[in-house]
Amino acid sequence: MTNSIQAATSVTLEGVHKRFGRFAALNGVSLEIAAGELLALLGPSGSGKTTLLRIIAGLEFPDSGQVSFGDQAVTFAHAAERGVGFVFQQYALFKHMTVAKNVAFGLDVKKGADRPDAKTRTARVEALLKLVELEGLGGRYPSQLSGGQRQRVALARALAVEPRILLLDEPFGALDATVRKTLRRELRRLHDATGLTTVFVTHDQEEALDLADRIALLNGGRIEQVGAPATVLDQPASAFVAGFVGQSNALMGEVHGGVFTYLGAPLTTPNLADGPAMAFVRPDQLALALSDETGFPIRLERATPRGPLLWLDGLTAAGQPIEVAIVRVGAPLLDPGTDLRLAIRDAHVFPAPGGAAP
Amino acid sequence: MSPPDPRASDARAGRAKTTEDPAWVRFGLIVIVVGFVGLMLVLPLIAVFAQALAKGVQGSLTALADPDALSAIRLTLLTAGIAVPLNAFIGVCAAWAIAKHDFWAKSVLISLIDLPFSVSPVVAGLAYVLVFGLQGWFGRWLDAHGIKIIFAAPGIVLATIFVTFPFVARELIPLMQAQGRDEEEAAVSLGAGGLTTFLRVTAPNIRWGLLYGVLLCNARAMGEFGAVSVVSGHVRGLTDTMPLQVEILYNDYDMVGAFSVAALLCLLAVVTLVLKAGLERLQPQLSDPIALQDLRLRR
């Protein structure tokens, strides 16, 4: 099964709303997921990303809005009929079944002519265990496996039914850092091998940036931006995206006549109206001010070399922590306690929410 | 080998000191508890068997072979045979509904399931008399159709069902809540229907808890006195269960008869306890709140 690239299915969500009691988990979400795409749903906890995934799987139903796979409407189709593979955050392996039985479950419960004969089922399970590199462990019970191995079993089990779409809820959340990195590459390899439309939920931006073709950013039950990793990183559509993706210093300042100023340090922002504004400045967009530049003052707390960069941690007079990354080659010797002046070379500036200072 | 971390051993010693009471406290506590259990629980149990065997094993067996006693045993078995499977079925349904679904009256339902535990069994018996008795709501209609519930076996079965209803549900609700819905959702997303999911995923996960609940339910169903006493009417050889028969024989000053039936009930209790202990060894998390908590955390 894994060699044949299946006809991948696109997923369309239109105006999806979902409330749990008084809590609005999703506030009108529309999203197009292309066939064969690897998409990350990224957002802080409570942003509705898991609810969205569960609605695609049919484990929740929207209060209003449409879900379709290809041109087939599936909004209220039962989860069992959707042909979706779902990998749960805690894997949800059947504790009382062996690994092989777990993987075979989806085939065993098929009815009538759909159900492959015992020989085919065994062969399929073998092939899947090989695919996730768990050959020879079919006779074990889930409690006898490590976290990473359980994750692979969950993946194999979801793939056994030849799903049209693969959904993963925080697939690497419960694993330690090394295993996480390996499995991340593994998932990419599996995705490329199967060509399945794959959606995974994560709160870890590094994971999303590293793995996904496109990232959908959720906040407060709404989609803030959908785009390739480089796009959301370099052209954030909102203050939330700028603050959430990538590392940045959030500087609260003022725009006057197309120039943003923070503690006297200016940055040209031609398209912004006058008023209070928030600038999201990446550590490498700050620099030590040259003699003819106006900078804002910080006191240096620590200077840490990291590879080719020197990371400076400092505090403004108001006590706001500031992070700066400068190239180490040619950098002056900096001792903690030194007063520095920083120039803003570039930033993503957005009008302050409600026009008021935070 | 690195030397043992001195802080670790300090911590161990410190803990031993803070959690271990002086010897006389330990000794005193053990004496108090063992003495109490011996005096209040074990001694009466011995007395029951001693009384039952006062005229030898033969005398006891003769007392049990009495037609009224046999009829009481039959009625008790019949009552438990109906009440226990029914409560097991309804209990699984209730636990399933509460643990795996959200609905608005959930907390009310959970409280209602506990009602039989908080209401005196006598009140439960009286309530059934008021509903099904001749002067009750359905009494006239039932009488006109020749259906006898109160002062007959059906009333005894109904009262027993009422009293023993919570056992299975109360055992399963925390267990199923701790297990969550993930495995069921996984089964459904893999294409399994509702019944398949229950039989192949849910049932294996709850089987020990269910068995445990059924055992407790059975022990109570056979031993219930108060509620059954009110609805029975005490027709000898017809509507007397074992506990009622014990009381009748006792009031007749038939000590060997009374205590022989009582001893039979005690034997049942002992068998239940042994089975329960065996189950706990098989599945420690059933009775261990820490293990249950641990189970909850792992999910």
Side-chain angles (χ1 to χ4, degrees), chain A residues 8-74:
Chain A
T9 313
S10 63
V11 178
T12 312
L13 299 154
E14 281 170 274
V16 170
H17 285 262
K18 177 72 184 177
R19 301 183 73 85
F20 294 109
R22 273 191 224 159
F23 177 69
L26 292 175
N27 262 322
V29 168
S30 296
L31 178 63
E32 291 260 1
I33 305 166
E37 181 174 35
L38 179 51
L39 181 104
L41 294 175
L42 175 65
S45 54
S47 59
K49 52 195 193 301
T50 293
T51 304
L52 190 59
L53 196 75
R54 289 171 61 86
I55 282 176
I56 299 175
L59 296 172
E60 305 279 359
F61 296 115
D63 297 335
S64 62
Q66 295 274 325
V67 183
S68 23
F69 293 173
D71 45 17
Q72 180 193 359
V74 295

Side-chain angles (χ1 to χ4, degrees), chain A residues 34 37 58-59 68 91 98 116 124 184 208 214 257 261 276 284 301 349:
Chain A
E37 181 174 35
L59 296 172
S68 23
Y91 320 133
T98 61
R124 179 84 58 77
R184 219 188 269 172
R214 283 197 310 157
T261 23
D284 59 324
E301 296 275 299
V349 189

Side-chain angles (χ1 to χ4, degrees), chain B residues 196-233:
Chain B
T196 313
T197 303
F198 179 77
L199 292 178
R200 298 189 56 165
V201 176
T202 311
N205 278 335
I206 63 166
R207 59 192 159 184
W208 296 115
L210 178 61
L211 203 54
Y212 186 88
V214 163
L215 273 180
L216 291 178
C217 182
N218 185 54
R220 182 68 189 269
M222 291 192 170
E224 175 54 27
F225 180 85
V228 169
S229 177
V230 177
V231 296
S232 144

Side-chain angles (χ1 to χ4, degrees), chain A residues 54 80 84 94-96 157, chain B residues 183 185 188-190 200 204:
Chain A
R54 289 171 61 86
V84 159
F94 307 129
K95 293 187 282 294
H96 59 286
R157 182 178 69 177
Chain B
E183 285 187 41
E185 287 182 345
V188 168
S189 80
L190 289 166
R200 298 189 56 165

Side-chain angles (χ1 to χ4, degrees), chain A residues 181-192:
Chain A
K181 281 238 160 86
T182 324
L183 273 176
R184 219 188 269 172
R185 274 197 293 276
E186 197 98 322
L187 181 61
R188 183 77 229 186
R189 181 178 64 82
L190 270 175
H191 171 80
D192 295 342

Side-chain angles (χ1 to χ4, degrees), chain A residues 129-165:
Chain A
L129 287 179
K130 191 174 172 197
L131 181 76
V132 297
E133 295 170 354
L134 284 179
E135 282 166 295
L137 295 186
R140 296 233 189 136
Y141 283 89
S143 58
Q144 298 168 308
L145 301 178
S146 70
Q149 288 172 325
R150 286 180 204 177
Q151 167 73 281
R152 288 157 195 258
V153 176
L155 256 172
R157 182 178 69 177
L159 289 172
V161 289
E162 301 193 350
R164 296 191 281 178
I165 296 150

